[in-house]
């Protein structure tokens, strides 16, 4: 905006000079036009460099296949939460989602279809994401949702609504479903996102073992990752 404003000023000044004294406009240009041109060019270059930097930063933080944030974007999202004083000690929920039977889907339909399934799943999850939440492709067929200022009851509602959105999708005759693991912690200096993910991931695998297409709530603190501390909040009894 600044670059274009300066450019408009320069062009306007040049036109004023040209129309007032057209014979001298090119042979004896006013002294101020040279420095003004330099300012315009410098401002435009700075603006272009910033735009390139912004696009490069976005590319580094974006998963190419799905358009979601990647793991680097997840790290930045968490760091920003930790320095936001307004969110200190507020609850934060994490949901780890994994696309069910993804290997079998790839084997049957091919990797291009698998990529399409990941894109469709990402879009369905994005549509169910509340304002202020973060959605990231963690790797492979796994997605991570972060819900700041969200207690367990609300996180359970949101996670299951997102699961149901995916369950409406099909790839030819193959229904797409996700299994999820949910944990809730508190935002603050002691927040260990790696531990949160391990617990959410463990609950997600428990969900797969219990039939898939469901979300389970994981253990509330650092404890052995498996062992029956999860419980179902929702799910189909007819998962593939």
């Amino acid at each position: 905006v600044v670059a274009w404003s300066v450019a408009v000023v320069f062009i306007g000044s040049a036109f004023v000079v040209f129309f007032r004294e057209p014979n001298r406009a090119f042979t004896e240009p006013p002294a101020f036009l040279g420095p003004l041109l330099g300012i315009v060019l410098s401002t435009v270059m700075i603006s272009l460099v910033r735009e390139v930097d912004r696009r490069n930063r976005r590319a580094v933080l974006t998963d190419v296949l799905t358009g979601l944030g990647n793991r680097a974007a997840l790290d930045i999202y968490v760091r920003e939460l930790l320095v936001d004083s307004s969110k200190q000690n507020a609850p934060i929920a994490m949901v780890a989602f994994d696309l069910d039977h993804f290997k079998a889907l790839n084997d049957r339909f091919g990797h291009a279809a698998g990529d399409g399934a990941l894109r469709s799943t990402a879009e369905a999850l994005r549509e169910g994401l509340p304002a202020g939440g973060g959605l990231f492709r963690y790797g492979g067929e796994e997605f991570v949702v972060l819900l700041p200022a969200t207690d367990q009851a609300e996180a359970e509602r949101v996670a299951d609504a997102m699961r149901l959105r995916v369950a409406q999708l099909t790839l030819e005759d193959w229904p797409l479903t996700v299994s999820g693991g949910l944990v809730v912690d508190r935002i603050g200096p002691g927040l260990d996102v790696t531990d949160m993910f391990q617990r959410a991931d463990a609950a997600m695998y428990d969900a797969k073992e219990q039939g898939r297409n469901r979300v389970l709530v994981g253990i509330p603190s650092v404890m052995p990752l498996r062992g029956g501390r999860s419980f179902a909040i929702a799910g189909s009894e007819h998962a593939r």
Side-chain angles (χ1 to χ4, degrees):
V1 174
V2 174
W4 287 113
S5 299
V6 175
V8 168
V9 171
F10 174 79
I11 294 171
S13 301
F15 268 106
V16 169
V17 172
F18 178 81
F19 283 111
R20 283 184 175 178
E21 300 181 81
N23 294 329
R24 299 176 58 192
F26 298 103
T27 59
E28 301 179 42
F32 73 85
L33 287 184
L36 186 57
L37 177 60
I39 293 173
V40 170
L41 293 177
S42 297
T43 306
V44 170
M45 287 301 297
I46 291 171
S47 178
L48 290 175
V49 168
R50 287 177 176 172
E51 176 63 17
V52 170
D53 182 67
R54 185 183 66 82
R55 293 186 180 185
N56 288 340
R57 178 180 171 84
R58 180 187 299 172
V60 168
L61 300 176
T62 302
D63 174 63
V64 176
L65 179 63
T66 63
L68 301 180
N70 56 22
R71 291 176 68 168
L74 171 61
D75 291 341
I76 291 175
Y77 182 90
V78 171
R79 286 202 297 270
E80 290 175 349
L81 286 178
L82 292 176
V83 300
D84 186 346
S85 59
S86 68
K87 293 185 171 63
Q88 295 306 297
N89 206 39
I92 180 170
M94 175 184 285
V95 189
F97 281 116
D98 192 89
L99 185 57
D100 293 327
H101 296 297
F102 184 65
K103 182 180 184 304
L105 184 154
N106 267 333
D107 291 344
R108 177 174 175 182
F109 297 103
H111 290 287
D115 288 348
L118 289 172
R119 283 191 292 266
S120 297
T121 299
E123 184 58 32
L125 293 174
R126 183 174 11 226
E127 289 173 355
L129 185 70
L135 173 62
F136 310 89
R137 185 183 178 197
Y138 198 77
E141 64 270 30
E142 191 158 15
F143 303 87
V144 169
V145 179
L146 280 176
L147 303 170
T150 305
D151 61 21
Q152 181 168 313
E154 177 63 10
E156 291 177 5
R157 186 196 68 77
V158 170
D160 201 49
M162 296 176 81
R163 177 191 67 82
L164 288 171
R165 283 182 177 272
V166 177
Q168 297 174 9
L169 304 174
T170 59
L171 178 64
E172 296 187 15
D173 62 338
W174 189 287
L176 299 181
T177 62
V178 290
S179 299
L182 182 156
V183 294
V184 180
D185 214 319
R186 290 274 171 184
I187 299 174
L191 180 65
D192 187 339
V193 176
T194 299
D195 172 65
M196 281 190 77
F197 175 76
Q198 289 175 340
R199 289 183 283 128
D201 195 57
M204 180 269 292
Y205 277 105
D206 286 343
K208 286 183 176 291
E209 291 179 357
Q210 294 185 28
R212 297 182 173 84
N213 191 23
R214 65 195 66 221
V215 179
L216 299 185
V217 177
I219 54 181
S221 59
V222 179
M223 298 174 63
L225 296 182
R226 308 302 287 270
R229 290 298 303 277
S230 301
F231 59 92
I233 62 173
S236 167
E237 296 303 319
H238 304 287
R240 293 190 59 168

